[in-house]
Amino acid sequence: MTHPPLSDWPLAERARIHGVLTDIDDTLTTEGVITPDALAALHALRAAGLPVFAITGRPAGWSEAFALAWPVNAIVAENGAVALWRGADGALCKAWLQDEATRRANFAQLQAVAQNILTTLPHTRLSQDSPGRETDIAIDHSEFAHLDDASIHAVVRLMRAGGLNATVSSIHINGWIGGHDKLAGARWIVRSHLAVELDAELDRWVYVGDSTNDARMFGHFAHSVGVANVARFWDQLTHRPRYVTPGERGAGFAELAHAVLTAKAIA
């Protein structure tokens, strides 16, 4: 794997960053939990006035506790479908990209496709966080179960044959109905929370991720960063991050935050 290291990111470009978009699993978290260095990085970004939005394939139910506890502006879950944030009164706030009737109509199709996958490929398992999912399905490939590449590709084919969009994260294979994805979710949350159009100021945002379901984001943002464990997916990425951190997972996210904040302090 060859890639430009994070240290190659010009100081002037880093100094202009005023917002961070980030994946969660294996980007913010390490072995499923947020480490002190990554949490401190989130606090430092907030203290500096930089909005942080986390965009994840994880379910809404799983994301609720983190939307309340972490110093992020919001979490967009289920690959762009559900937004969660802590309101001014401390209570959880929630919004959906699709209306209730659409979500109800899609639910039956999603469950039918999931059952077909489990029947056709009996060695597969739904993700353990599936009870918290509202608008998608997920098959575990690396969190608590292991699937080889052939099985992952077979699951993706079955999802798409069933009319779903499908993407592979570092731990799950996600399937959903609708035109949304991480990029659509990012546009939606920035517009609704900051009243600005993300695409009008792409050069002032950085995206951080680690796997194939981040590829579109890597390709869309002028400033995109992979944490070091992106090496696992390097050959599979249709778009690669512009820079890669020395550290993996939460340590890499902390390095990214430090690179941005030190540049802004100097500027």
mmCIF file of all heavy atoms in Angstrom, residues 28-30 32-40 42 66 70:
data_model
loop_
_atom_site.group_PDB
_atom_site.id
_atom_site.type_symbol
_atom_site.label_atom_id
_atom_site.label_comp_id
_atom_site.label_asym_id
_atom_site.label_seq_id
_atom_site.Cartn_x
_atom_site.Cartn_y
_atom_site.Cartn_z
ATOM 1 N N LEU A 28 -13.485 6.150 14.897
ATOM 2 C CA LEU A 28 -13.544 6.763 16.229
ATOM 3 C C LEU A 28 -13.311 5.728 17.321
ATOM 4 O O LEU A 28 -12.716 6.024 18.355
ATOM 5 C CB LEU A 28 -14.917 7.402 16.453
ATOM 6 C CG LEU A 28 -15.105 8.882 16.164
ATOM 7 C CD1 LEU A 28 -16.539 9.288 16.488
ATOM 8 C CD2 LEU A 28 -14.124 9.730 16.952
ATOM 9 N N THR A 29 -13.796 4.509 17.087
ATOM 10 C CA THR A 29 -13.727 3.482 18.124
ATOM 11 C C THR A 29 -12.612 2.482 17.845
ATOM 12 O O THR A 29 -12.162 2.312 16.719
ATOM 13 C CB THR A 29 -15.059 2.717 18.248
ATOM 14 O OG1 THR A 29 -15.337 2.041 17.009
ATOM 15 C CG2 THR A 29 -16.195 3.652 18.591
ATOM 16 N N THR A 30 -12.200 1.812 18.918
ATOM 17 C CA THR A 30 -11.174 0.775 18.858
ATOM 18 C C THR A 30 -11.703 -0.428 19.624
ATOM 19 O O THR A 30 -12.062 -0.298 20.802
ATOM 20 C CB THR A 30 -9.863 1.273 19.504
ATOM 21 O OG1 THR A 30 -9.443 2.477 18.833
ATOM 22 C CG2 THR A 30 -8.772 0.216 19.392
ATOM 23 N N GLY A 32 -14.526 -1.631 19.418
ATOM 24 C CA GLY A 32 -15.915 -1.378 19.776
ATOM 25 C C GLY A 32 -16.159 -0.286 20.803
ATOM 26 O O GLY A 32 -17.315 0.011 21.118
ATOM 27 N N VAL A 33 -15.089 0.318 21.344
ATOM 28 C CA VAL A 33 -15.285 1.381 22.334
ATOM 29 C C VAL A 33 -14.449 2.597 21.948
ATOM 30 O O VAL A 33 -13.448 2.476 21.240
ATOM 31 C CB VAL A 33 -14.912 0.919 23.760
ATOM 32 C CG1 VAL A 33 -15.785 -0.240 24.196
ATOM 33 C CG2 VAL A 33 -13.437 0.537 23.841
ATOM 34 N N ILE A 34 -14.875 3.762 22.422
ATOM 35 C CA ILE A 34 -14.092 4.966 22.161
ATOM 36 C C ILE A 34 -12.984 5.060 23.210
ATOM 37 O O ILE A 34 -13.225 4.895 24.408
ATOM 38 C CB ILE A 34 -14.977 6.224 22.141
ATOM 39 C CG1 ILE A 34 -14.185 7.417 21.568
ATOM 40 C CG2 ILE A 34 -15.573 6.520 23.498
ATOM 41 C CD1 ILE A 34 -15.052 8.575 21.145
ATOM 42 N N THR A 35 -11.775 5.271 22.749
ATOM 43 C CA THR A 35 -10.622 5.329 23.645
ATOM 44 C C THR A 35 -10.446 6.758 24.168
ATOM 45 O O THR A 35 -10.955 7.707 23.573
ATOM 46 C CB THR A 35 -9.357 4.864 22.910
ATOM 47 O OG1 THR A 35 -9.273 5.547 21.652
ATOM 48 C CG2 THR A 35 -9.402 3.366 22.662
ATOM 49 N N PRO A 36 -9.731 6.925 25.276
ATOM 50 C CA PRO A 36 -9.583 8.268 25.846
ATOM 51 C C PRO A 36 -8.998 9.285 24.876
ATOM 52 O O PRO A 36 -9.403 10.460 24.899
ATOM 53 C CB PRO A 36 -8.656 8.029 27.047
ATOM 54 C CG PRO A 36 -8.928 6.616 27.456
ATOM 55 C CD PRO A 36 -9.172 5.879 26.172
ATOM 56 N N ASP A 37 -8.056 8.874 24.026
ATOM 57 C CA ASP A 37 -7.461 9.846 23.103
ATOM 58 C C ASP A 37 -8.460 10.326 22.064
ATOM 59 O O ASP A 37 -8.511 11.516 21.727
ATOM 60 C CB ASP A 37 -6.201 9.281 22.431
ATOM 61 C CG ASP A 37 -6.410 7.942 21.755
ATOM 62 O OD1 ASP A 37 -7.501 7.340 21.892
ATOM 63 O OD2 ASP A 37 -5.461 7.463 21.086
ATOM 64 N N ALA A 38 -9.308 9.415 21.560
ATOM 65 C CA ALA A 38 -10.324 9.821 20.587
ATOM 66 C C ALA A 38 -11.389 10.696 21.238
ATOM 67 O O ALA A 38 -11.848 11.688 20.646
ATOM 68 C CB ALA A 38 -10.961 8.588 19.954
ATOM 69 N N LEU A 39 -11.791 10.357 22.458
ATOM 70 C CA LEU A 39 -12.781 11.171 23.157
ATOM 71 C C LEU A 39 -12.218 12.558 23.465
ATOM 72 O O LEU A 39 -12.914 13.578 23.304
ATOM 73 C CB LEU A 39 -13.211 10.473 24.450
ATOM 74 C CG LEU A 39 -14.351 11.127 25.224
ATOM 75 C CD1 LEU A 39 -15.614 11.245 24.380
ATOM 76 C CD2 LEU A 39 -14.642 10.346 26.507
ATOM 77 N N ALA A 40 -10.958 12.615 23.883
ATOM 78 C CA ALA A 40 -10.328 13.912 24.132
ATOM 79 C C ALA A 40 -10.254 14.737 22.848
ATOM 80 O O ALA A 40 -10.417 15.964 22.876
ATOM 81 C CB ALA A 40 -8.927 13.704 24.709
ATOM 82 N N LEU A 42 -12.414 14.666 20.371
ATOM 83 C CA LEU A 42 -13.753 15.222 20.146
ATOM 84 C C LEU A 42 -13.986 16.445 21.031
ATOM 85 O O LEU A 42 -14.532 17.461 20.571
ATOM 86 C CB LEU A 42 -14.824 14.160 20.426
ATOM 87 C CG LEU A 42 -14.950 13.009 19.431
ATOM 88 C CD1 LEU A 42 -15.996 12.008 19.920
ATOM 89 C CD2 LEU A 42 -15.321 13.522 18.036
ATOM 90 N N PHE A 66 -24.649 7.184 22.362
ATOM 91 C CA PHE A 66 -23.468 7.962 21.979
ATOM 92 C C PHE A 66 -23.850 9.379 21.549
ATOM 93 O O PHE A 66 -23.096 10.329 21.780
ATOM 94 C CB PHE A 66 -22.712 7.238 20.873
ATOM 95 C CG PHE A 66 -22.332 5.833 21.256
ATOM 96 C CD1 PHE A 66 -22.837 4.750 20.556
ATOM 97 C CD2 PHE A 66 -21.508 5.604 22.353
ATOM 98 C CE1 PHE A 66 -22.513 3.460 20.929
ATOM 99 C CE2 PHE A 66 -21.174 4.312 22.729
ATOM 100 C CZ PHE A 66 -21.678 3.232 22.022
ATOM 101 N N TRP A 70 -21.442 11.625 23.706
ATOM 102 C CA TRP A 70 -20.248 12.146 23.044
ATOM 103 C C TRP A 70 -20.402 13.624 22.683
ATOM 104 O O TRP A 70 -21.512 14.082 22.375
ATOM 105 C CB TRP A 70 -19.967 11.373 21.764
ATOM 106 C CG TRP A 70 -19.532 9.961 21.963
ATOM 107 C CD1 TRP A 70 -19.181 9.352 23.140
ATOM 108 C CD2 TRP A 70 -19.408 8.959 20.943
ATOM 109 N NE1 TRP A 70 -18.855 8.039 22.913
ATOM 110 C CE2 TRP A 70 -18.977 7.767 21.574
ATOM 111 C CE3 TRP A 70 -19.620 8.952 19.571
ATOM 112 C CZ2 TRP A 70 -18.749 6.593 20.867
ATOM 113 C CZ3 TRP A 70 -19.394 7.781 18.856
ATOM 114 C CH2 TRP A 70 -18.961 6.616 19.500
#
